[in-house]
Amino acid sequence: MGFRFWRRKEEKCGLYGRTGFWLAGIVALAALLRLINIAKEPFWGDEILSLDIATSFGSMAEMLRYIAQVEFHPPLYYIILRPWTMLFGTSEVAVRSLSLLSSIGIVLLVYVLAKRMFDDRRVGLIAAGITAILPLQIEFGQEARPYALFCLLGCVAALSVWEYLQTRRRAWAYVYFFATVVGLYLHYSYSFIAIATALWWVMAVASPAKERGQLLFKWFAVHAAIFVAFWPWLDEFLYKIFLGGFDIIGLKRNLVPIREPNFFGDLFDSVIWVTKDEYVPAIQNLAVALAVGVFIWMAVRLIRGKREAGSGKPFAALVTLTVTPAILFLFAPQSIPYTTLVERHMIWLTVPLTIAIAAVVVRSGKRRGAMLLAVFVASLLPYIVGIVGNDAYFDHDFRLEEGAEYINEHYVEGDVVIVAANILRSDFAHYLREDIPMETLIPVQFRGEDVWRGRHVLGLIENEIQVRIPQTSREEVFAKFDWITEKHSPQRIWVYGLTQRDFKAHDWFEERDWRRSFWSVSDILRLDMYIKR
């Protein structure tokens, strides 16, 4: 009764006629939140990786050969980014604007998808509004990586499946094919979305007895075509997998196959209330618990009340689009916490979850829906404030430029720079002067000879070593330092990336009679300089 009354009242006051105004305001809010610090916040390592791969090669063909033989990811993001930087430059705003536009596109497509699934513009507007302020969407709407772009393609694929199931129009199958193929060529993590949408589609066409065989054949034909379209990159994909069976410089892949006991709880909590803080105030946890409790209470009431006959179909679709990627992610190497916010690979989950929240808000009636929306938005506010801040104020990953520029200004001929880990080398070189010699400490087995290794791009061994994290002894660290000093005979050594807890490395300098002249700053700027006594 409350839902029907709310709808009649809104129709009477002309809300539908103001949909464009509300949507424009939501898009403006989304853009504003994503523009905060987009120019001021320096690039971090993965962004520099994308930029340097796109700009370091003389031709597109050479870049593609490098990606096929060295990079872990498909080539399309770099193919797009290369002409993008030629047109707009390589500044932080220019490079990140591709993700910014993709993120704004997600807001618009979430509106369309939610409106079409529930046949209600209010569900679309609320879902779009939540997407506009969701911290994970804000974070990767201003990062020069492909996550926002493949989430956008996931929205296109989900919308095309919904429209095809409703209309049986062949054009939507073509749209689905295009979005899925492009998504797979953008990032392997798109496979989580592709499998979820394929499962949703086949479950929907398998339920009606009439025309079941014909509909299943069409489903098979579309996905066979997707497989054929991805075939040209399949060799590279399998090559990266089978490479793990070989020892490289004496190291094996050592990805840990275990996960945290509360994996799914932490995953869904981080997808909505994402934070980079190790600890948060108790009041924030209380607000999250309250929002979750209110949502579950209202969702249970709706299920028990069986409101809106037929509404189970879109909710079943949302469950499939949420649960399937989460289960696949559990077994994927991307879920290993190799960096902050591994939930980036699950950015797609924000789409079905926000649509589900919006649908529950609208179907709970005006008062209860407003209460749920208010509690949910209030729980997000501190996380939004945290995520739009400048990461360089607390995260050493965003201090690469500052560290390199300090060395550039104080470099003396004969100095050598040692970067703590090989995966930082090309990122740090992005800002370091070309004439300054640079070596890496970890892995200690690596001596610089590598296929495709360049000043601004990693070689095959350097890239592969990311999944072969070595255990190093004091003797091995000392031997690597001895090799570097014998090679360069420096009087001063700059070290970037070591913490004050890396005793093995710092002990070498003390035992070899080096004096520390410059210290790291609170573990935020990890830069030290040693002078030979």
Side-chain angles (χ1 to χ4, degrees), residues 194-482:
I195 294 172
T197 51
L199 181 61
W200 168 30
W201 185 348
V202 74
M203 288 171 60
V205 300
S207 56
K210 186 179 180 181
E211 300 181 310
R212 180 185 298 168
Q214 182 181 5
L215 293 173
L216 288 175
F217 175 78
K218 292 180 179 178
W219 176 91
F220 177 81
V222 170
H223 290 86
I226 292 171
F227 179 79
V228 170
F230 192 70
W231 181 269
W233 194 255
L234 191 60
D235 282 350
E236 284 71 21
F237 174 70
L238 295 176
Y239 158 70
K240 302 294 170 53
I241 293 177
F242 291 127
L243 190 63
F246 298 91
D247 286 1
I248 293 181
I249 59 173
L251 299 174
K252 296 181 179 181
R253 282 192 182 177
N254 54 359
L255 297 175
V256 181
I258 59 175
R259 302 293 185 273
E260 294 289 335
N262 193 31
F263 175 82
F264 291 111
D266 292 341
L267 171 62
F268 286 104
D269 181 63
S270 296
V271 165
I272 301 297
W273 294 280
V274 68
T275 179
K276 296 183 178 181
D277 297 326
E278 187 175 356
Y279 302 102
V280 297
I283 190 66
Q284 286 185 221
N285 287 321
L286 179 61
V288 170
L290 181 61
V292 172
V294 172
F295 174 78
I296 293 174
W297 170 60
M298 292 189 176
V300 169
R301 286 187 73 259
L302 290 177
I303 294 171
R304 293 182 62 184
K306 298 180 180 179
R307 290 179 177 243
E308 296 298 292
S311 64
K313 184 165 62 173
F315 277 115
L318 294 175
V319 170
T320 303
L321 294 175
T322 302
V323 174
T324 305
I327 293 175
L328 294 172
F329 188 58
L330 171 65
F331 298 99
Q334 294 97 313
S335 62
I336 297 171
Y338 64 97
T339 184
T340 56
L341 304 188
V342 294
E343 295 80 16
R344 66 191 67 199
H345 298 281
M346 288 283 97
I347 188 173
W348 160 254
L349 293 184
T350 61
V351 174
L353 287 173
T354 53
I355 294 175
I357 293 169
V360 171
V361 166
V362 171
R363 280 161 166 70
S364 294
K366 186 174 182 179
R367 292 181 180 176
R368 293 190 181 95
M371 178 183 69
L372 171 58
L373 189 59
V375 170
F376 179 72
V377 171
S379 73
L380 286 177
L381 289 177
Y383 296 92
I384 296 171
V385 172
I387 214 70
V388 299
N390 190 334
D391 289 353
Y393 293 154
F394 61 86
D395 191 340
H396 66 89
D397 285 337
F398 291 81
R399 293 297 186 103
L400 290 164
E401 182 179 14
E402 186 175 351
E405 288 298 333
Y406 189 87
I407 296 176
N408 291 341
E409 293 175 7
H410 298 87
Y411 171 74
V412 175
E413 187 175 354
D415 290 358
V416 66
V417 175
I418 301 177
V419 180
N422 65 290
I423 57 175
L424 281 174
R425 182 190 62 80
S426 62
D427 299 334
F428 200 63
H430 182 84
Y431 297 110
L432 197 66
R433 280 169 39 184
E434 295 286 338
D435 61 311
I436 299 179
M438 182 167 53
E439 300 287 349
T440 59
L441 177 61
I442 304 296
V444 294
Q445 299 87 345
F446 182 66
R447 292 296 188 267
E449 296 181 2
D450 202 352
V451 178
W452 281 105
R453 187 174 189 258
R455 179 77 174 184
H456 297 286
V457 292
L458 297 175
L460 173 62
I461 295 174
E462 287 183 305
N463 197 60
E464 173 64 21
I465 213 71
Q466 298 178 66
V467 291
R468 302 168 187 262
I469 308 300
Q471 295 293 325
T472 57
S473 66
R474 175 187 173 93
E475 292 73 20
E476 289 174 319
V477 170
F478 275 43
K480 183 65 175 287
F481 272 125
D482 288 338

